Amino acid sequence: MRGIFNKTLLELAKDDPRIYMILADIGYGEIEPFAEAFPERYYNVGVAEQNMTGVACGVAMEGNIAVTYSIANFPTLRCLEQIRNDVCYHNVNVKIVIIGGGVSYGPLGVSHHSTEDIAIMRALPNIVVCAPCDTIEAEAATRAMIAHNGPFYYRCGYKNEKDIHEGPINFELGKAIRVKEGTDCTVIFTGPIGYDAKCAVEELAKEGINCRLVSMHTIKPIDRAEIIAAAKETGRILTIEEHNLSGGLGSAVAEVLADEGCICKFRRMAFPDVNVSLVGHQEWLRKQYGMGVDDMVNAVKELVK
């Protein structure tokens, strides 16, 4: 996904001289084409994410589009105060992009996990929070991010993610995408873990359980109408996310259900409220914390009992 993001951003930058990249000691083959094409619009500030965000704010306040870009939680948690006080408070056109949401960098340990970011970012005023699920959504989300005027958080996957969508999509910020129709339960996911959700839904279909599958690529603003429809039309909702149980997609969906007085069977699937201290491959880590395909299948079965 990061390759698609960088390729699309480079294309957009060719036509829009307002686009700048501000990075913190990262590269290694992905962003070099941008640096070579537009050296005057590229700044690498070194291992100084707080400074990166401050520079980006200044660039944006001069009428430009500033994209900050780094690994996992470094562009967010390390410089949260600058995002809050500089970017969101002034409502400037800064795009905060992380590579490797969730536990994409699993072998590097908890310092490189990004499992609290959705909760923290969506709590900030003025910012859009977006987590595309595959390369098709990643390209569309990149274009939507640049077109949007204001702070934007883009949670990108790492690499080699499998595509979920089989054809063109109608991508709109704040509007979910129905990947599959179903009446027995609605499975709502965000990000690349949606591929496992799709596999789980396909397994359930073999047993006669037909699930609606929804990609909630925008967590803020969230698609309230799609959530309400899921509750009323299927009566059961399972949310799936590669994030801490607190404050992420599941919490956002629960808030809508509570606000609207929707009555349905509901369950959240996410990392438990612990530090993900185990070290290993992304798929292995998901299974260790009860987020494998079999776990998803069993969760839906419990809901439809």
Side-chain angles (χ1 to χ4, degrees), residues 19-39:
I19 298 175
Y20 283 67
M21 285 197 83
I22 299 94
L23 295 86
D25 190 34
I26 189 172
Y28 316 113
E30 293 291 344
I31 54 86
E32 281 77 3
F34 190 103
E36 293 167 1
F38 310 110

Side-chain angles (χ1 to χ4, degrees), residues 124-178:
L124 299 173
N126 295 328
I127 194 167
V128 171
V129 178
C130 182
C133 69
D134 63 4
T135 59
I136 298 169
E137 283 192 9
E139 178 178 353
T142 305
R143 298 183 184 279
M145 177 184 75
I146 296 301
H148 175 77
N149 185 33
F152 199 106
Y153 176 51
Y154 184 113
R155 191 189 210 235
C156 191
Y158 181 34
K159 59 182 179 181
N160 301 324
E161 291 89 358
K162 297 177 182 178
D163 283 338
I164 294 169
H165 300 289
E166 297 176 354
I169 59 172
N170 182 19
F171 187 96
E172 182 180 343
L173 293 176
K175 188 170 180 58
I177 298 174
R178 288 193 190 181

Side-chain angles (χ1 to χ4, degrees), residues 23 76 146 206 291:
L23 295 86
T76 53
I146 296 301
K206 296 175 184 177
M291 297 169 62

Side-chain angles (χ1 to χ4, degrees), residues 35-215:
E36 293 167 1
F38 310 110
E40 74 285 357
R41 289 192 266 151
Y42 169 84
Y43 301 103
N44 190 332
V45 302
V47 186
E49 284 81 4
Q50 294 166 326
N51 188 42
M52 171 184 73
T53 305
V55 169
C57 183
V59 168
M61 292 184 79
E62 291 296 315
N64 300 300
I65 301 171
V67 180
T68 64
Y69 174 100
S70 191
I71 291 172
N73 61 15
F74 300 149
T76 53
L77 301 190
R78 186 169 288 179
C79 44
L80 179 58
E81 182 179 357
Q82 285 71 27
I83 295 171
R84 177 182 182 268
N85 294 348
D86 296 347
V87 176
C88 291
Y89 181 72
H90 293 96
N91 199 24
V92 293
N93 221 356
V94 173
K95 318 303 181 184
I96 302 155
V97 180
I98 71 158
I99 303 302
V103 293
S104 300
Y105 288 93
L108 296 180
V110 68
S111 65
H112 283 62
H113 296 163
S114 184
T115 52
E116 309 87 5
D117 54 307
I118 293 175
I120 293 168
M121 289 295 107
R122 79 180 188 94
L124 299 173
N126 295 328
I127 194 167
V128 171
V129 178
C130 182
C133 69
D134 63 4
T135 59
I136 298 169
E137 283 192 9
E139 178 178 353
T142 305
R143 298 183 184 279
M145 177 184 75
I146 296 301
H148 175 77
N149 185 33
F152 199 106
Y153 176 51
Y154 184 113
R155 191 189 210 235
C156 191
Y158 181 34
K159 59 182 179 181
N160 301 324
E161 291 89 358
K162 297 177 182 178
D163 283 338
I164 294 169
H165 300 289
E166 297 176 354
I169 59 172
N170 182 19
F171 187 96
E172 182 180 343
L173 293 176
K175 188 170 180 58
I177 298 174
R178 288 193 190 181
V179 181
K180 179 184 177 297
E181 293 289 353
T183 57
D184 295 326
C185 179
T186 299
V187 176
I188 302 176
F189 68 85
T190 193
I193 198 171
Y195 183 82
D196 286 356
K198 182 180 180 182
C199 292
V201 165
E202 290 171 349
E203 288 299 314
L204 288 160
K206 296 175 184 177
E207 300 184 37
I209 301 174
N210 296 308
C211 293
R212 178 180 298 178
L213 185 63
V214 175
S215 172

